[in-house]
Amino acid sequence: MLRLGNKYSHLVHNVGCGCHSPEIQRASRRLEEFSRRGVLFGMAATALTVALPPAEAATAAGSPAKTLFSHARLFDSVAGTIIDNAQVLVVDNLIAEIDLTQAPPPQDATVVDCRNGVIIPGLIDAHWHTIFAAVPLNLLLGADSGIVFAASTAEAGRTLMRGFTTVRDLGGPVFSFKQAIDSGLIPGPRIFPSGAMITTSGGHGDLRLPNEIPREGGRLSGSELLGGAAIADGIGELQLRIREQLLQGASQIKLVGGGGVSSPRSPLDMITFSEEELRAAVGVVSDWNTYIAVHAYTPGAVQRALAAGATCIEHAHLVDEETAIMLAEKGAWLSTQPFLTMADAASQSGSGIERAQQIFAGTPKIYQYARKHGIKTAWGSDVLFSPELTPRQNIMLTHLSNWFSNAEVLQMATSGNAQLLGLSGLRTPYPGKLGVIEKGALADLVVVKGNPIENLALIENPQESFALIMKDGRVHKNLL
Ligand SMILES: [Zn+2]
């Protein structure tokens, strides 16, 4: 075991004045990077530079370059065990050392006494909608985009305060919003963006208003102009719309393979893209070294996506065992959600209630199949169009304890989900390790008061239980 000491001092520069703080330097480095990405992003970056508020800069200037977490227990998210009497040294935005010898702290480190709390990796939600989670559908369809982004900005801060330091965004106009978070302009989680969810006419995600049907020429509907959805019929259009998302920085592509719960006009049993279209989609994302995540509930929709070469299926609550076995045999990821009761789907009304009940009936089956057949399973909450539901993100995670041990639940939301994020390969927005506490990993950490492996309910009450939240080496909450 390596000992801590002044040997780490070369890793960081002095932080005497605010303008040299790592936060500010990182922010300006990122802004420079944005500006290199073209005229459009250059303009956005300039706006961000000008807009960085003084309060933000002051906080950043006070951030220490080295933080030592002492008197801690660590959750080993790979082994699923707790390591006692540990210290973790964070330098800049990386975990620099894990020490079990109680070595004295480096001279210039800020020491945080964890008081025997358990450090877990920052939580990862594999199916989130950054822009649409906190906006009711009627507001989204009728309102100015200003209110939509204001609601999303407030929600992004709350998401981070619930311990979620990374989300995989599966549909929404999130590209410049992600830049605002990454540059330090607003607090929020890391975002693996998909951009617009891509559907055929009539599929889940086709939110056109009656006066937008029929489509005239290439005219885009309101939700398409906002960047929430892209409607594509035929291979050429599908390739175009996928490439447009990749051009804007998508780390993966979200395709709608069938009907949905919160889309009254797209029945759950319907299928959207042909196998030929799906194959073309897989071809485009393979050329970009990434993958498609296909929204599919039924055996027919899931089987077609798998046959076309899809490596990640979203939902799948209505599949039969034969289809589950195909998922396992193909080695595809199942990214699903433990929807149990109407409390988890309170935003539904009308036909959505009956559809949600079909999903509740399927939930225990899909997790039983996942266990029985060893399907690679990721967890997500998929909160959509409901500010009342977003605070239940953590409860959606602890629902998994119906089928998994406490350690397995936390593994799924950390190292497991991070493995799924790895499918983005060269398109990852955040090179580095996520979901683990180990030397060299990105410093996304949550200090829990108590041991969540013994008492998973601690996760449900982040306001009380999460004593400290760090993302990318920066402390966003500290009660210690
Ligand atoms: Zn979703």
Side-chain angles (χ1 to χ4, degrees), residues 237-394:
E237 254 185 48
L238 179 58
Q239 290 171 321
L240 168 73
R241 304 316 294 272
I242 292 174
R243 287 173 180 140
E244 284 175 349
Q245 308 316 309
L246 293 164
L247 172 69
Q248 294 175 85
S251 50
Q252 66 285 320
I253 292 296
K254 162 79 172 291
L255 282 195
V256 172
V261 175
S262 50
S263 45
R265 297 173 299 181
S266 317
L268 271 178
D269 57 280
M270 64 87 84
I271 301 183
T272 55
F273 294 107
S274 67
E275 190 177 317
E276 200 188 0
E277 286 170 320
L278 290 169
R279 276 189 200 286
V282 169
V284 175
V285 293
S286 302
D287 285 346
W288 277 73
N289 298 306
T290 182
Y291 68 101
I292 51 171
V294 182
H295 159 115
Y297 283 101
T298 61
V302 172
Q303 288 188 23
R304 187 178 291 184
L306 290 175
T311 47
C312 183
I313 302 293
E314 302 299 314
H315 314 307
H317 293 81
L318 304 180
V319 301
D320 50 22
E321 189 157 14
E322 182 195 339
T323 309
I325 291 169
M326 287 171 76
L327 262 162
E329 285 177 350
K330 295 261 184 190
W333 277 87
L334 166 67
S335 164
T336 194
Q337 306 83 28
F339 287 112
L340 294 178
T341 66
M342 279 315 291
D344 302 326
S347 56
Q348 298 303 327
S349 60
S351 66
I353 294 176
E354 190 271 324
R355 292 180 197 194
Q357 278 158 354
Q358 286 187 53
I359 303 304
F360 305 149
T363 297
K365 275 198 289 180
I366 190 64
Y367 283 109
Q368 282 153 16
Y369 293 150
R371 285 224 79 132
K372 184 174 170 189
H373 300 294
I375 301 170
K376 289 188 280 190
T377 306
W379 168 84
S381 62
D382 195 16
V383 172
L384 199 53
F385 305 139
S386 178
E388 289 76 36
L389 283 176
T390 55
R392 291 177 58 84
Q393 190 179 18
N394 300 51

Side-chain angles (χ1 to χ4, degrees), residues 127-129 170 197 204 254 295 315 382 384:
H127 191 128
W128 185 248
H129 297 277
L170 285 182
M197 65 173 81
H204 175 75
K254 162 79 172 291
H295 159 115
H315 314 307
D382 195 16
L384 199 53

Side-chain angles (χ1 to χ4, degrees), residues 18-361:
C19 61
H20 286 110
S21 93
E23 278 296 332
I24 296 289
Q25 289 183 341
R26 270 209 300 280
S28 66
R29 267 203 308 274
R30 283 166 178 158
L31 289 170
E32 280 167 26
E33 189 148 305
F34 299 153
S35 64
R36 277 199 297 272
R37 293 177 60 184
V39 175
L40 186 64
F41 287 135
M43 284 163 63
T46 307
L48 292 180
T49 310
V50 172
L52 191 66
E56 186 73 16
T59 315
S63 302
K66 292 184 190 179
T67 308
L68 180 76
F69 294 95
S70 68
H71 303 108
R73 291 177 285 170
L74 305 185
F75 174 59
D76 180 337
S77 60
V78 177
T81 53
I82 298 284
I83 299 166
D84 290 319
N85 300 316
Q87 303 196 118
V88 177
L89 177 67
V90 171
V91 177
D92 201 359
N93 69 330
L94 298 177
I95 296 172
E97 202 59 76
I98 294 171
D99 169 75
L100 301 180
T101 68
Q102 303 305 307
Q107 267 179 353
D108 50 350
T110 298
V111 178
V112 175
D113 185 337
C114 295
R115 302 173 202 170
N116 212 28
V118 170
I119 306 181
I120 62 172
L123 300 171
I124 301 171
D125 192 327
H127 191 128
W128 185 248
H129 297 277
T130 313
I131 307 299
F132 296 146
V135 190
L137 183 58
N138 55 0
L139 183 76
L140 175 69
L141 293 177
D144 179 85
S145 58
I147 188 70
V148 174
F149 285 98
S152 311
T153 301
E155 178 49 43
R158 293 193 295 265
T159 306
L160 184 59
M161 287 304 101
R162 290 194 293 269
F164 289 90
T165 50
T166 302
V167 299
R168 192 175 61 134
D169 190 289
L170 285 182
V174 78
F175 296 120
S176 53
F177 194 86
K178 170 187 177 301
Q179 289 183 322
I181 292 175
D182 291 346
S183 67
L185 187 61
I186 58 169
R190 300 176 191 274
I191 297 174
F192 281 70
S194 308
M197 65 173 81
I198 301 174
T199 180
T200 60
S201 295
H204 175 75
D206 179 350
L207 296 174
R208 281 179 296 169
L209 300 170
N211 63 4
E212 293 175 313
I213 303 170
R215 187 177 206 172
E216 285 172 33
R219 189 168 63 101
L220 295 178
S221 59
S223 59
E224 287 176 283
L225 287 170
L226 184 66
I231 299 170
D233 293 288
I235 288 177
E237 254 185 48
L238 179 58
Q239 290 171 321
L240 168 73
R241 304 316 294 272
I242 292 174
R243 287 173 180 140
E244 284 175 349
Q245 308 316 309
L246 293 164
L247 172 69
Q248 294 175 85
S251 50
Q252 66 285 320
I253 292 296
K254 162 79 172 291
L255 282 195
V256 172
V261 175
S262 50
S263 45
R265 297 173 299 181
S266 317
L268 271 178
D269 57 280
M270 64 87 84
I271 301 183
T272 55
F273 294 107
S274 67
E275 190 177 317
E276 200 188 0
E277 286 170 320
L278 290 169
R279 276 189 200 286
V282 169
V284 175
V285 293
S286 302
D287 285 346
W288 277 73
N289 298 306
T290 182
Y291 68 101
I292 51 171
V294 182
H295 159 115
Y297 283 101
T298 61
V302 172
Q303 288 188 23
R304 187 178 291 184
L306 290 175
T311 47
C312 183
I313 302 293
E314 302 299 314
H315 314 307
H317 293 81
L318 304 180
V319 301
D320 50 22
E321 189 157 14
E322 182 195 339
T323 309
I325 291 169
M326 287 171 76
L327 262 162
E329 285 177 350
K330 295 261 184 190
W333 277 87
L334 166 67
S335 164
T336 194
Q337 306 83 28
F339 287 112
L340 294 178
T341 66
M342 279 315 291
D344 302 326
S347 56
Q348 298 303 327
S349 60
S351 66
I353 294 176
E354 190 271 324
R355 292 180 197 194
Q357 278 158 354
Q358 286 187 53
I359 303 304
F360 305 149

